[in-house]
């Protein structure tokens, strides 16, 4: 039997254990620090940078492989100067797309300004005006997309809370899972805010997807928690905290393996999409999925189950568990 298999068996039988529940205050502090950093640093940078799909505006695409080959900094600087020469204060955002074109986004321009910017970009990059395409997204459409994204998030959280409460027959499991979901969402979105990355519809899809993954991982842990605690009673030699901690250890290897299997393809898409193909949509969704999967694995192990114990620790019937003489005198029965 390999060492890894033996390690997993020891965790499942309780011969080896990590004290996840007993050290829950440590995990709370770590989670709180990351959440506060995500919120604080994002606020210091002036908030999130939303894509043109949300805020509305004008977009130009310049087909200019020769300029792109000079490097990202040079290609985007040319666009910034060209737009500023025509419409000062348009706040242009230039980026390389697909490795052979430059995308320039600005505040919404009038038709006349749009034509002037097209001509300026064509002259700056040394291409024909036909190689510069333009489009615009109205602020009303962007506001509608924002509203739909918020509605989707709220509906998801409400349905998830209801299903968990019904499935596990306790609102405390549901509350612990939802708190963990908010933790995952705040930190994942915080990565975009801290580094000034644009939040696009693809990124929002990624956010909603990782919430589903995090919820799935938490349900796996909670299902084992329910199985362990349903066998306990007043005569049990295990405390409630020990039964929950055993469940987390029993699902630990599965959670880690699942996260690795999930992160490998999303990280590959992130690398290929952003560095090799220059595909912004692939980068946006893959970044959210990669960060969210890692954070979701942490929350399902270190937050959700300890929070559930915290919510139920003062219930009278649970205080009676594990009071027989031979019970270990540690909160979670873990080998330190």
């Amino acid at each position: 039997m390999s060492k890894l298999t033996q390690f997993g068996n020891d965790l499942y039988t309780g011969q080896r254990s990590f004290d996840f529940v007993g050290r829950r205050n440590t995990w709370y502090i770590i989670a709180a620090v990351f959440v506060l950093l995500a919120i604080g640093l994002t606020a210091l940078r002036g908030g999130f940078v939303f894509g043109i799909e949300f805020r509305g505006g004008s977009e130009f695409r310049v087909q200019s492989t020769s300029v792109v080959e000079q490097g990202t900094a040079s290609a985007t600087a040319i666009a910034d100067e060209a737009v500023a020469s025509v419409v000062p204060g348009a706040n242009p955002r230039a980026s390389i797309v697909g490795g052979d074109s430059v995308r320039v986004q600005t505040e919404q321009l009038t038709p006349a300004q749009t034509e002037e910017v097209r001509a300026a970009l064509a002259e700056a990059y040394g291409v024909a005006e036909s190689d510069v395409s333009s489009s615009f997204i109205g602020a009303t459409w962007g506001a509608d997309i924002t509203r739909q994204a918020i509605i989707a998030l709220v509906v998801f959280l409400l349905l998830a809370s209801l299903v968990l409460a019904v499935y596990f027959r306790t609102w405390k499991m549901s509350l612990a899972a939802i708190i963990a979901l908010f933790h995952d969402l705040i930190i994942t979105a915080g990565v975009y805010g801290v580094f000034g990355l644009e939040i696009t519809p693809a990124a929002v899809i990624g956010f909603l997807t990782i919430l589903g993954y995090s919820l799935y991982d938490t349900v796996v842990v909670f299902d084992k928690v329910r199985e362990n605690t349903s066998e306990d009673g007043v005569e049990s030699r295990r405390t409630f905290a020990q039964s929950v901690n055993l469940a987390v250890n029993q699902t630990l290897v599965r959670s880690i393996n699942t996260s690795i299997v999930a992160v490998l393809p999303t990280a590959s898409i992130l690398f290929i999409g952003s560095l090799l193909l220059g595909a912004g949509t692939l980068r946006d969704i893959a970044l959210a999925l990669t960060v969210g999967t890692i954070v979701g694995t942490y929350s399902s192990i270190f937050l959700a189950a300890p929070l559930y114990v915290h919510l139920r620790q003062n219930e009278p019937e649970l205080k009676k568990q594990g009071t027989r003489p031979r019970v270990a005198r540690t909160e979670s029965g873990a080998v330190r």
Side-chain angles (χ1 to χ4, degrees), residues 103-117:
R103 181 182 65 187
V104 184
Q105 296 178 340
T106 69
E107 303 295 337
Q108 189 164 345
L109 306 177
T110 64
Q113 291 174 327
T114 299
E115 291 303 316
E116 291 178 6
V117 170

Side-chain angles (χ1 to χ4, degrees), residues 68-120:
V68 171
E69 290 175 350
Q70 298 177 11
T72 301
S74 175
T76 57
I78 293 174
D80 293 342
E81 293 175 2
V83 174
S85 66
V86 177
V87 188
N91 298 321
R93 294 187 180 93
S95 58
I96 305 300
V97 178
D100 61 352
S101 63
V102 180
R103 181 182 65 187
V104 184
Q105 296 178 340
T106 69
E107 303 295 337
Q108 189 164 345
L109 306 177
T110 64
Q113 291 174 327
T114 299
E115 291 303 316
E116 291 178 6
V117 170
R118 281 189 62 199

Side-chain angles (χ1 to χ4, degrees), residues 124-146:
Y125 285 106
V127 297
E129 284 193 35
S130 59
D131 290 328
V132 182
S133 60
S134 63
S135 60
F136 73 92
I137 297 175
T140 302
W141 191 85
D144 185 60
I145 290 295
T146 303

Side-chain angles (χ1 to χ4, degrees), residues 48-335:
F48 292 107
V49 178
F50 290 97
I52 193 173
E53 297 86 356
F54 292 105
R55 55 184 168 78
S58 298
E59 180 175 290
F60 303 86
R61 285 184 182 253
V62 183
Q63 296 293 332
S64 180
T65 306
S66 60
V67 176
V68 171
E69 290 175 350
Q70 298 177 11
T72 301
S74 175
T76 57
I78 293 174
D80 293 342
E81 293 175 2
V83 174
S85 66
V86 177
V87 188
N91 298 321
R93 294 187 180 93
S95 58
I96 305 300
V97 178
D100 61 352
S101 63
V102 180
R103 181 182 65 187
V104 184
Q105 296 178 340
T106 69
E107 303 295 337
Q108 189 164 345
L109 306 177
T110 64
Q113 291 174 327
T114 299
E115 291 303 316
E116 291 178 6
V117 170
R118 281 189 62 199
L121 288 172
E123 182 180 355
Y125 285 106
V127 297
E129 284 193 35
S130 59
D131 290 328
V132 182
S133 60
S134 63
S135 60
F136 73 92
I137 297 175
T140 302
W141 191 85
D144 185 60
I145 290 295
T146 303
R147 185 175 63 256
Q148 294 298 327
I150 294 174
I151 291 174
L153 176 61
V154 172
V155 170
F156 174 86
L157 293 176
L158 289 176
L159 289 178
S161 302
L162 179 61
V163 170
L164 285 175
V166 172
Y167 180 72
F168 291 112
R169 301 191 180 101
T170 171
W171 63 268
K172 294 182 179 179
M173 267 192 178
S174 176
L175 178 59
I178 295 303
I179 291 174
L181 286 181
F182 273 109
H183 163 271
D184 302 341
L185 179 61
I186 291 172
I187 293 181
T188 304
V191 170
Y192 282 77
V194 170
F195 293 99
L197 302 174
E198 275 193 352
I199 294 182
T200 64
V204 173
I205 293 172
F207 295 157
L208 296 176
T209 304
I210 61 100
L211 291 182
Y213 170 83
S214 176
L215 186 63
Y216 162 78
D217 208 26
T218 301
V219 167
V220 169
V221 176
F222 277 176
D223 206 41
K224 193 63 182 176
V225 168
R226 182 176 63 172
E227 179 183 331
N228 287 356
T229 55
S230 64
E231 301 170 355
D232 296 338
V234 177
E235 298 299 318
S236 175
R237 293 181 179 178
R238 290 189 314 221
T239 65
F240 178 72
Q242 288 171 345
S243 295
V244 173
N245 195 74
L246 176 62
V248 178
N249 279 275
Q250 288 173 328
T251 56
L252 178 62
V253 173
R254 185 183 187 282
S255 295
I256 294 175
N257 288 341
T258 302
S259 65
I260 292 175
V261 170
V263 166
L264 285 177
T266 58
S268 300
I269 294 173
L270 177 61
F271 174 78
I272 295 173
S274 61
L275 297 182
L276 300 184
L277 300 180
T281 302
L282 287 179
R283 180 200 62 207
D284 293 341
I285 193 169
L287 178 61
L289 291 175
T290 302
V291 175
T293 299
I294 296 172
V295 177
T297 301
Y298 174 86
S299 69
S300 65
I301 296 172
F302 293 92
L303 282 185
L307 275 171
Y308 179 54
V309 173
H310 201 102
L311 291 170
R312 296 197 61 186
Q313 63 183 357
N314 293 323
E315 294 181 11
E317 62 272 20
L318 296 184
K319 288 184 176 181
K320 297 177 182 178
Q321 288 183 206
T323 56
R324 297 182 64 175
R326 285 188 292 175
V327 69
R329 295 301 179 185
T330 60
E331 181 180 11
S332 57
V335 175

